[in-house]
Amino acid sequence: MTACVLHATSRTPAHPDSPQLHEGKFQNAVPTPPTGFLKTVRLAWNVLTNKPRDTVPAGAIPLQTLTRAELVAAPDRSLFRLGHSTVLLKLRGEFWLTDPVFSDRASPVQWAGPKRFHQPPISIADLPPIKGVLLSHNHYDHLDHAAILALADKTDYFLAPLGVGDTLIEWGVPADKVQQFDWWQAATVDGLRFVATPAQHFSGRGLFDANKSLWASWVIVDDDLRVFFSGDTGYFDGFKAIGERFGPFDVTLMETGAYDKQWPHVHMQPEQTLQAHLDLKGKWLMPVHNGTFDLAMHAWHEPFDRISALAAEKGVRLTTPSMGQRLDLQRPQAGDAWWLATQ
């Protein structure tokens, strides 16, 4: 029988006792300036009408396809990058997914919206059984309705921030598979510890659900191995608090992409990503939230260019596996500058 000790909440959908909930909406530790409807519309219009051409790769993204047999044979403490913020972790012989997005578009519809630069290295149907899915928040490039439904039968646990779990249950995921977390709450599954930690972001999938669910980062502890997954976040002093409580981290999976000077409070610039990694006491930095979707005004390869230069300047060890490439979490390799081949 699977050993699972969960210390998360099973609150009602309103989650009224969360310290992060104020007047029916979740807030950051330090409230961020409201975007406002008109500003949101202007930003969306600018993204739709003034995109430079190099926000999309000119050539094919390097991709290493994966098979179930390869994953099953892979050693423990392996990581496979599948795209954007989706990674597959093999820990203690079982598989965990972060923010699984497998659809062609990060959008409420599949006939419009940001389209993938590359196919997933493996399909959901070909994946081995999944022990658990970690979700950071409910935006379309992190919470994929079709992927969740396809994963529901082959996944034992869905670990999600408050309110996001309610959405999964509404979609048909069995309630006994879903656990919801406030910041600093933890779960232990087969000896692995997962802690939902603060992030500085926002949530919403439509016009009327802004900040009705929480957002989070995640700490993953496997005995002496520690991994951090940032989800989406602006830079804030919470990174130092997480680093003090759970660091040092062997690998930090850090948001590095889809940023803009107009939204610094909720998406980090590469300089802030690197500082957050240092705050976390990270040993190796792996940039994610890039290389798969066109979600901002910068060149698609700019996040890699900037974080590589910054890491070299500051002496930070950077790992940049290509899509589908295996990363050894115990002995990470730097990886090639694969993005240069498609510029």
Side-chain angles (χ1 to χ4, degrees), residues 194-341:
F194 301 90
V195 186
T197 42
Q200 183 173 287
H201 201 54
F202 64 107
S203 67
R205 292 172 71 83
L207 295 176
F208 306 109
D209 66 341
N211 296 341
K212 292 291 187 178
S213 63
L214 189 59
W215 45 95
S217 55
W218 286 95
V219 168
I220 304 167
V221 181
D222 179 10
D223 290 336
D224 61 337
L225 176 72
R226 294 183 177 230
V227 177
F228 178 77
F229 172 56
S230 72
D232 279 6
T233 180
Y235 179 76
F236 70 129
D237 60 8
F239 290 116
K240 292 181 180 178
I242 297 167
E244 289 167 359
R245 291 180 65 167
F246 297 106
F249 289 93
D250 297 277
V251 180
T252 66
L253 312 177
M254 301 298 291
E255 180 202 58
T256 317
Y259 49 77
D260 193 279
K261 292 180 179 179
Q262 296 182 82
W263 51 77
H265 301 289
V266 294
H267 286 291
M268 294 186 289
Q269 295 279 323
E271 291 81 3
Q272 295 171 316
T273 295
L274 187 133
Q275 184 58 55
H277 168 81
L278 296 174
D279 291 349
L280 290 162
K281 304 177 184 178
K283 298 176 183 177
W284 283 84
L285 165 59
M286 178 177 154
V288 296
H289 204 251
N290 52 46
T292 301
F293 294 111
D294 175 10
L295 299 172
M297 300 293 286
H298 58 66
W300 78 270
H301 54 81
E302 181 186 298
F304 298 106
D305 297 337
R306 287 177 62 179
I307 198 65
S308 297
L310 289 164
E313 177 185 343
K314 300 295 184 180
V316 169
R317 289 180 289 185
L318 185 73
T319 179
T320 55
S322 60
M323 305 306 170
Q325 184 177 8
R326 175 181 172 267
L327 177 70
D328 185 339
L329 291 170
Q330 296 185 110
R331 292 172 292 276
Q333 70 275 18
D336 299 324
W338 54 266
W339 58 92
L340 296 178

Side-chain angles (χ1 to χ4, degrees), residues 36-341:
F37 179 74
L38 290 178
K39 184 176 181 180
T40 300
V41 171
R42 284 196 297 268
L43 288 173
W45 180 254
N46 191 38
V47 168
L48 289 171
T49 60
N50 294 319
K51 281 273 191 180
R53 290 185 177 181
D54 57 359
T55 60
V56 175
I61 292 284
L63 180 71
Q64 298 188 28
T65 57
L66 296 166
T67 66
R68 179 181 297 199
E70 289 173 324
L71 296 176
V72 170
D76 265 352
R77 298 186 170 182
S78 291
L79 176 153
F80 299 88
R81 186 164 190 207
L82 304 187
H84 198 53
S85 294
T86 306
V87 303
L88 180 68
L89 300 162
K90 186 175 185 181
L91 302 170
R92 300 193 176 203
E94 296 176 316
F95 293 93
W96 292 81
L97 277 168
T98 65
D99 286 355
V101 175
F102 286 75
S103 292
D104 285 340
R105 295 183 186 270
S107 171
V109 296
Q110 287 302 296
W111 48 265
K115 185 175 175 58
R116 299 185 73 98
F117 302 158
H118 62 88
Q119 290 301 307
I122 188 171
S123 69
I124 291 176
D126 290 334
L127 283 171
I130 302 298
K131 175 56 65 174
V133 166
L134 294 178
L135 295 165
S136 65
H137 64 298
N138 73 350
H139 287 156
Y140 287 96
D141 59 321
H142 294 263
L143 183 62
D144 178 357
H145 179 254
I148 294 297
L149 294 185
L151 286 163
D153 288 340
K154 68 189 305 172
T155 301
D156 290 343
Y157 301 107
F158 291 83
L159 310 185
L162 296 181
V164 178
D166 298 323
T167 298
L168 303 185
I169 295 169
E170 289 171 5
W171 289 351
V173 177
D176 60 358
K177 291 187 174 188
V178 178
Q179 291 292 327
Q180 304 193 64
F181 297 74
D182 208 338
W183 293 343
W184 304 115
Q185 290 185 325
T188 301
V189 182
D190 291 357
L192 297 175
R193 190 179 184 209
F194 301 90
V195 186
T197 42
Q200 183 173 287
H201 201 54
F202 64 107
S203 67
R205 292 172 71 83
L207 295 176
F208 306 109
D209 66 341
N211 296 341
K212 292 291 187 178
S213 63
L214 189 59
W215 45 95
S217 55
W218 286 95
V219 168
I220 304 167
V221 181
D222 179 10
D223 290 336
D224 61 337
L225 176 72
R226 294 183 177 230
V227 177
F228 178 77
F229 172 56
S230 72
D232 279 6
T233 180
Y235 179 76
F236 70 129
D237 60 8
F239 290 116
K240 292 181 180 178
I242 297 167
E244 289 167 359
R245 291 180 65 167
F246 297 106
F249 289 93
D250 297 277
V251 180
T252 66
L253 312 177
M254 301 298 291
E255 180 202 58
T256 317
Y259 49 77
D260 193 279
K261 292 180 179 179
Q262 296 182 82
W263 51 77
H265 301 289
V266 294
H267 286 291
M268 294 186 289
Q269 295 279 323
E271 291 81 3
Q272 295 171 316
T273 295
L274 187 133
Q275 184 58 55
H277 168 81
L278 296 174
D279 291 349
L280 290 162
K281 304 177 184 178
K283 298 176 183 177
W284 283 84
L285 165 59
M286 178 177 154
V288 296
H289 204 251
N290 52 46
T292 301
F293 294 111
D294 175 10
L295 299 172
M297 300 293 286
H298 58 66
W300 78 270
H301 54 81
E302 181 186 298
F304 298 106
D305 297 337
R306 287 177 62 179
I307 198 65
S308 297
L310 289 164
E313 177 185 343
K314 300 295 184 180
V316 169
R317 289 180 289 185
L318 185 73
T319 179
T320 55
S322 60
M323 305 306 170
Q325 184 177 8
R326 175 181 172 267
L327 177 70
D328 185 339
L329 291 170
Q330 296 185 110
R331 292 172 292 276
Q333 70 275 18
D336 299 324
W338 54 266
W339 58 92
L340 296 178

